[in-house]
Amino acid sequence: MDPLPPRLHRDVVSFVRRSTRMNESQMKAWERYEKAFVVDVPRGDMSTSIADDALVDWSAAFGREAPLIVEIGSGAGDSLAPMAEGRPDANVVAFEVFEPAVASTLGRLGRHGIDNVRVVVADGAQGLARLFDDGSVSELWTFFADPWHKKRHHKRRLVGTDFADVVVAKLAPGGLWRLATDWEDYALWMREHLDGFPGLENVHGGWAPRLAERPVTKYERKGLEAGRTVYDLTYRRVDAPQD
């Protein structure tokens, strides 16, 4: 029997993986809304990685030109859906690697008739670096990224100087990077790495007021009930003055 072509083989493997991890509601949402919202990208060596030469025409993907907002780690869309709904004049690109969570997001978008979101099931840090032109992103959202508590795992944290270099490159002049975490050590880590970083300005000079449009998600509520404090930060891309 001839082997399946690589693309078809990958699709079959993905279907089997989804069907064993998603509940019935999530599978139905995936089947109904995947073509409308999910943007497929060329993969690297791993299922969630992105090929070095991958390209996406975002204007074509959305069917219009509009300011680009990117969220990394959108989860089940608890904050993504209402925030995107409140920004109808923006194109919102969300990255999430956990397919059941993506399926829940698709269901939310479909039920509420939100059509200005596209989802990429892949690593968001790679996606930001490889799928967007320099200076093209008006806002970046990284809310409640994995804090990787153990010291030996700190190198896995999303927020750091290497990633900040990418953010500065991809943000438009004056573009905003909005962050939130409910772990104090990670919040302080963010300040340590981003305050004074070349090309970034802490808009509030310290902690930012809570972004009014960001709803309290189930995850955040659990943190608050456990006695943790939510820390918000906002950074702006600033360019060095010309000589």
Side-chain angles (χ1 to χ4, degrees):
M1 185 175 181
D2 293 335
L4 293 172
R7 173 65 182 272
L8 182 57
H9 174 76
R10 193 187 76 196
D11 290 345
V12 170
V13 171
S14 296
F15 173 79
V16 172
R17 185 173 67 245
R18 286 195 298 271
S19 63
T20 57
R21 299 168 77 187
M22 294 183 187
N23 60 37
E24 183 178 356
S25 175
Q26 290 169 334
M27 280 298 296
K28 287 182 178 179
W30 186 278
E31 292 167 0
R32 183 172 183 180
Y33 297 116
E34 183 222 356
K35 290 184 179 179
F37 296 116
V38 177
V39 176
D40 193 23
V41 298
R43 301 292 173 169
D45 295 335
M46 301 179 64
S47 62
T48 59
S49 64
I50 299 173
D52 292 341
D53 58 352
L55 295 172
V56 175
D57 182 338
W58 293 112
S59 296
F62 284 94
R64 66 173 186 173
E65 291 188 10
L68 281 170
I69 296 175
V70 176
E71 179 170 21
I72 294 179
S74 55
D78 293 339
S79 60
L80 168 68
M83 290 180 70
E85 188 173 22
R87 303 281 194 98
D89 295 330
N91 292 339
V92 183
V93 182
F95 289 88
E96 174 58 52
V97 297
F98 189 50
E99 289 180 330
V102 173
S104 295
T105 298
L106 303 186
R108 281 189 169 85
L109 298 174
R111 288 193 301 273
H112 292 278
I114 302 168
D115 62 2
N116 64 325
V117 175
R118 299 294 181 268
V119 183
V120 182
V121 187
D123 179 273
Q126 286 188 4
L128 182 66
R130 299 176 183 176
L131 301 179
F132 297 88
D133 293 335
D134 287 355
S136 66
V137 176
S138 63
E139 285 192 26
L140 173 66
W141 300 339
T142 55
F143 302 136
F144 303 98
D146 193 327
W148 293 105
H149 293 296
K150 295 181 180 179
K151 189 172 183 179
R152 68 177 183 271
H153 292 158
H154 284 182
K155 62 185 178 181
R156 300 183 183 180
R157 287 177 165 176
L158 173 66
V159 178
T161 53
D162 289 345
F163 184 61
D165 275 328
V166 175
V167 174
V168 170
K170 300 305 174 179
L171 281 179
L176 299 176
W177 183 6
R178 301 186 186 277
L179 310 94
T181 183
D182 59 346
W183 292 100
E184 183 180 23
D185 68 316
Y186 198 12
L188 294 173
W189 167 282
M190 292 176 181
R191 292 283 305 275
E192 178 185 347
H193 287 76
L194 301 183
D195 280 7
F197 188 85
L200 290 177
E201 172 190 41
N202 186 324
V203 173
H204 300 279
W207 307 117
R210 180 188 176 84
L211 184 62
E213 64 188 289
R214 180 170 61 78
V216 178
T217 63
K218 292 180 181 179
Y219 174 88
E220 183 177 353
R221 188 173 294 109
K222 287 181 180 179
L224 293 170
E225 291 172 352
R228 295 196 294 272
T229 299
V230 175
Y231 298 88
D232 281 76
L233 287 164
T234 304
Y235 292 88
R236 177 187 293 117
R237 175 186 158 179
V238 291
D239 294 332
Q242 300 295 318
D243 294 333

